[in-house]
Amino acid sequence: DTAVSQTPKYLVTQMGNDKSIKCEQNLGHDTMYWYKQDSKKFLKIMFSYNNKELIINETVPNRFSPKSPDKAHLNLHINSLELGDSAVYFCASSPRGPPDTQYFGPGTRLTVL
Amino acid sequence: AQSVTQPDIHITVSEGASLELRCNYSYGATPYLFWYVQSPGQGLQLLLKYFSGDTLVQGIKGFEAEFKRSQSSFNLRKPSVHWSDAAEYFCAVLPHNFNKFYFGSGTKLNVKP
């Protein structure tokens, strides 16, 4: 049973397109996160939600919009994709939020051409 | 500035040899401290964490880490490395009264037969 799943695993698209990445956790956790891992492997928080409420909203472009339809799902929609958006995006969840252990999904490798 | 530093980008050790991966942080008070492992194509998995108390913490897969307040360090160790330990290792900190984690840039471990 996959605890934190992401779809798709790979995403190749053209500049200017709009795309979404989906995340689901079956752990019953209250908190979910989106991280971006750049080409130098730096992992940086983008957003976190607790029970569908936005908790962390880092300084990311407005083109990135998270949506949490329920506490088991946190999707990431990206408008007008740019070359610099190419990265691996990780979803994670934790029982109640920091400092609880985070459980990571396998990542989505986004390539913008 | 607050930061998490992993000074070694790549480390190569022989199978059966001991391993130490370094992590230093610069935060005012002792933060919560974590080590994660990322195998190729996988998400991050928690190896161990330090919140308080005994400064030597044991984790999964035979790893341990020692917190040294005087050096602001939280180094990861393993007495005998196995080929399956080849992966990328990330140190992370969660400052007290903060709600987000800060990750180091990772150390890639190669294991020679």
Side-chain angles (χ1 to χ4, degrees):
Chain A
D1 289 342
T2 303
V4 182
S5 59
Q6 295 178 228
T7 54
K9 191 169 177 64
Y10 299 96
L11 187 51
V12 181
T13 188
Q14 300 287 331
M15 279 177 54
N17 284 349
D18 302 339
K19 290 293 178 186
S20 292
I21 306 172
K22 295 186 176 181
C23 178
E24 176 181 2
Q25 54 96 3
N26 63 6
L27 297 167
H29 290 169
D30 287 346
T31 306
M32 296 185 73
Y33 310 80
W34 277 111
Y35 285 88
K36 179 181 180 180
Q37 187 177 45
D38 64 22
S39 58
K40 295 185 178 178
K41 298 286 188 172
F42 271 108
L43 198 67
K44 190 172 180 183
I45 185 80
M46 300 174 69
F47 304 101
S48 80
Y49 271 73
N50 183 277
N51 268 318
K52 303 194 298 175
E53 180 184 347
L54 182 64
I55 302 298
I56 294 175
N57 185 354
E58 283 296 282
T59 49
V60 300
N62 291 338
R63 300 181 293 102
F64 289 80
S65 55
K67 284 188 172 51
S68 182
D70 56 60
K71 76 173 193 177
H73 296 84
L74 180 61
N75 303 323
L76 183 65
H77 188 75
I78 315 170
N79 290 327
S80 304
L81 278 155
E82 300 177 357
L83 293 176
D85 297 333
S86 295
V88 182
Y89 292 85
F90 286 100
C91 177
S93 72
S94 67
R96 288 170 305 274
D100 287 354
T101 297
Q102 295 180 73
Y103 295 79
F104 283 79
T108 295
R109 182 175 292 277
L110 171 64
T111 303
V112 182
L113 304 174
Chain B
Q2 298 174 333
S3 67
V4 183
T5 302
Q6 292 180 245
D8 304 306
I9 298 174
H10 289 99
I11 282 186
T12 298
V13 300
S14 298
E15 191 167 16
S18 63
L19 171 71
E20 182 168 26
L21 302 182
R22 296 181 290 166
C23 175
N24 293 92
Y25 62 89
S26 60
Y27 292 92
T30 300
Y32 300 112
L33 298 160
F34 306 79
W35 273 101
Y36 285 86
V37 60
Q38 184 182 21
S39 298
Q42 304 289 322
L44 280 70
Q45 180 186 20
L46 181 71
L47 285 174
L48 47 76
K49 59 188 176 186
Y50 172 79
F51 285 5
S52 65
D54 192 346
T55 57
L56 185 63
V57 293
Q58 303 297 320
I60 62 171
K61 305 186 182 191
F63 285 92
E64 65 180 26
E66 185 172 14
F67 165 60
K68 292 186 177 179
R69 185 189 308 274
S70 60
Q71 298 176 19
S72 296
S73 69
F74 188 55
N75 293 348
L76 183 71
R77 301 195 295 243
K78 186 167 185 179
S80 176
V81 169
H82 187 262
W83 63 266
S84 61
D85 293 325
E88 190 115 25
Y89 291 82
F90 292 90
C91 178
V93 305
L94 173 66
H96 283 258
N97 300 321
F98 275 57
N99 62 0
K100 61 182 181 181
F101 294 79
Y102 295 88
F103 285 80
S105 55
T107 297
K108 186 169 183 179
L109 173 65
N110 294 316
V111 180
K112 291 190 302 185

